[in-house]
Amino acid sequence: MDIQVPAFLEPAWNLFQGAPLAIQLAMIFIIIAAVITLLAYFSILRNRYRGYQRAKRLASLLPTLDNLIIEEVLANQDPLANTHPDRVELNLEGFWKLPLQKKWARQATTDRIIHFRRNVRGNAGHLLRTLYLQLELDKDNIKQMKSSRWERKVRALTEFINMDIPIADVSILPLTNSHNRELRAAARHAYIKLSKNEPFKFFDVVTDPLLMWDQVELFRIITTTEDIAIPNFARWITYSSNKSVVSFCLKLIIHYNQLPAVPAVKKLLDTKDHYLRADAINCLGKLKVPDVEDKLVAIYSSQPLHCQIEILKALGRIGSGQHIDFLKQEFLHSTDFDLRKSAAKSIVKNEWIASQVLQELLDTADPENLLILKHCMNPLIKY
């Protein structure tokens, strides 16, 4: 079949037809590579031109916008600004002269408000939030929350957090179980910060395990959020079927020193999951619950290694001195190095009542045990 080509391409077409197959394939790949390279350069130039245009627009908008925010908001003399900043009717005449009907200008205004709000506290921050609402910039975010693209939802949730805008639980709660990790993390962050009812309700609906990174991030958010209502985390220890949630709640119980949760934690000593059992022993030790020592010593011999290590550490943290002989026995006769080290550290922590035992061990220990004891007695080494 004859292929019609433009006259100026006929010499090249004839050359292509007369070439061997290998040369033809090489020419095709060269043409494809050249086209892709040109498209890449075109894309780079296009993005640079767009960036230049955006920078040019912002250069003319931002000075005016900053002056308006400073004069009409941060320097507001309305008496209500010091008592009820949310009720202040701001002078928006200057803001309406800006091209706020355009999406880029509205986004730039939102970004500047967030920027100022991060650098001020108290009533000034509330006034900036009032400006955000009175300019109806939150409507753009509500639209993004309905988007099917996860990155837009993450951006919307982050903006709501920065502006402290409450969202209905029904809008956020389903997102806390999203398959997308970024969206899931942002939704949990937003739920803790913005939920009108129970900020920890999403613990009830979590289906996937809380990964270690998720736990670290959630712990940071929970412990740094101001005016958050802290519940008794024993609730989830008792009823949650998600083991990672139970483990995470044990860490929160330790942080908030929730002694009323101790009975629920004690019940975990009988759980079949030895990882949860180890976490529960760790929790009881850090809460310094003295009446649990006897049970820990009683179950010691039937526990896996990591649970035994946690039991020895717990006896040191509680520090009642009631089981010094048990710790001495483990230090002298255990065949596992980690057990001996943990027993030695707990003896050192009970030094106020076990000073005689410690001195006896130092005087009679073989070189390896002596090295372990001296290592554990170093106050600079943390366990």
Side-chain angles (χ1 to χ4, degrees):
M1 184 177 73
D2 292 334
I3 298 176
Q4 298 295 327
V5 296
F8 69 94
L9 288 178
E10 283 187 3
W13 176 245
N14 293 333
L15 179 63
F16 176 79
Q17 284 185 314
L21 178 61
I23 301 298
Q24 288 181 341
L25 292 174
M27 293 173 69
I28 291 173
F29 281 118
I30 290 171
I31 293 170
I32 292 174
V35 170
I36 292 174
T37 302
L38 290 174
L39 289 174
Y41 275 110
F42 176 76
S43 177
I44 292 171
L45 291 174
R46 179 168 168 268
N47 290 336
R48 286 188 176 181
Y49 178 73
R50 283 187 170 184
Y52 167 77
Q53 290 286 83
R54 187 175 188 279
K56 186 177 178 181
R57 290 195 300 260
L58 291 178
S60 62
L61 174 69
L62 293 184
T64 305
L65 180 58
D66 288 352
N67 289 333
L68 286 171
I69 292 175
I70 293 171
E71 293 173 5
E72 304 297 340
V73 181
L74 300 183
N76 194 292
Q77 299 298 316
D78 192 322
L80 280 176
N82 296 321
T83 55
H84 299 89
D86 292 340
R87 299 181 187 175
V88 175
E89 289 294 332
L90 297 170
N91 180 13
L92 303 180
E93 183 178 349
F95 290 97
W96 294 128
K97 292 179 181 179
L98 302 175
L100 294 181
Q101 71 280 5
K102 297 181 180 179
K103 186 177 179 179
W104 68 267
R106 293 175 67 80
Q107 187 59 52
T109 303
T110 298
D111 292 342
R112 293 309 287 174
I113 292 173
I114 291 174
H115 170 76
F116 276 98
R117 199 165 190 268
R118 284 174 177 165
N119 293 280
V120 297
R121 292 292 183 270
N123 292 334
H126 292 303
L127 283 173
L128 288 167
R129 179 178 179 275
T130 301
L131 173 65
Y132 176 82
L133 292 173
Q134 291 185 4
L135 290 176
E136 298 182 341
L137 298 173
D138 58 314
K139 291 184 177 180
D140 296 343
N141 244 15
I142 293 172
K143 290 180 181 178
Q144 289 197 79
M145 283 292 293
K146 297 177 181 178
S147 172
S148 58
R149 297 175 61 179
W150 67 266
E151 63 271 18
R152 290 187 177 179
K153 290 182 178 180
V154 170
R155 195 181 308 122
L157 289 169
T158 304
E159 191 171 305
F160 278 132
I161 293 170
N162 288 329
M163 296 308 303
D164 195 23
I165 305 295
I167 316 174
D169 292 357
V170 69
S171 300
I172 313 179
L173 201 56
L175 301 180
T176 60
N177 271 330
S178 170
H179 294 298
N180 184 281
R181 185 184 179 281
E182 297 289 339
L183 180 56
R184 184 172 65 241
R188 289 171 179 172
H189 185 175
Y191 197 86
I192 292 171
K193 292 275 190 181
L194 306 174
S195 174
K196 298 177 182 178
N197 302 316
E198 298 181 69
F200 297 95
K201 189 177 179 181
F202 73 88
F203 281 167
D204 296 330
V205 299
V206 171
T207 54
D208 295 331
L210 292 176
L211 302 178
M212 188 54 65
W213 175 250
D214 293 330
Q215 293 188 32
V216 170
E217 186 65 13
L218 282 173
F219 189 87
R220 182 191 65 80
I221 294 165
I222 292 169
T223 55
T224 57
T225 300
E226 298 177 359
D227 302 323
I228 186 172
I230 301 299
N232 186 344
F233 293 104
R235 165 184 168 185
W236 290 283
I237 287 177
T238 304
Y239 298 111
S240 179
S241 58
N242 190 319
K243 294 178 182 179
S244 63
V245 170
V246 175
S247 178
F248 183 56
C249 286
L250 288 170
K251 295 181 179 70
L252 292 170
I253 287 171
I254 295 169
H255 179 80
Y256 290 105
N257 197 34
Q258 290 189 339
L259 294 178
V262 167
V265 179
K266 284 183 179 179
K267 291 179 181 178
L268 288 179
L269 295 179
D270 299 321
T271 183
K272 294 181 180 179
D273 188 308
H274 51 86
Y275 291 106
L276 274 185
R277 198 183 315 133
D279 289 340
I281 296 168
N282 178 278
C283 179
L284 292 168
K286 289 181 177 178
L287 291 177
K288 302 183 187 300
V289 182
D291 61 349
V292 79
E293 283 186 308
D294 290 340
K295 181 167 184 179
L296 293 181
V297 172
I299 66 174
Y300 178 83
S301 60
S302 62
Q303 300 302 307
L305 177 63
H306 61 286
C307 287
Q308 290 182 331
I309 291 173
E310 288 298 340
I311 289 174
L312 294 174
K313 288 181 178 179
L315 295 177
R317 287 165 178 152
I318 295 170
S320 69
Q322 295 180 12
H323 296 280
I324 296 299
D325 291 338
F326 171 76
L327 293 172
K328 177 182 175 182
Q329 186 77 8
E330 284 303 305
F331 173 66
L332 292 175
H333 300 291
S334 176
T335 56
D336 186 88
F337 175 81
D338 288 328
L339 291 178
R340 289 160 61 199
K341 185 179 73 171
S342 298
K345 183 62 180 178
S346 291
I347 292 172
V348 171
K349 284 190 173 183
N350 282 273
E351 186 178 3
W352 64 277
I353 199 171
S355 56
Q356 186 176 349
V357 173
L358 181 59
Q359 188 58 50
E360 179 187 336
L361 290 173
L362 288 170
D363 293 338
T364 60
D366 59 41
E368 183 180 3
N369 282 349
L370 183 63
L371 187 62
I372 293 174
L373 285 170
K374 289 185 176 180
H375 173 81
C376 293
M377 292 174 70
N378 188 338
L380 298 178
I381 297 175
K382 304 298 180 183
Y383 292 90

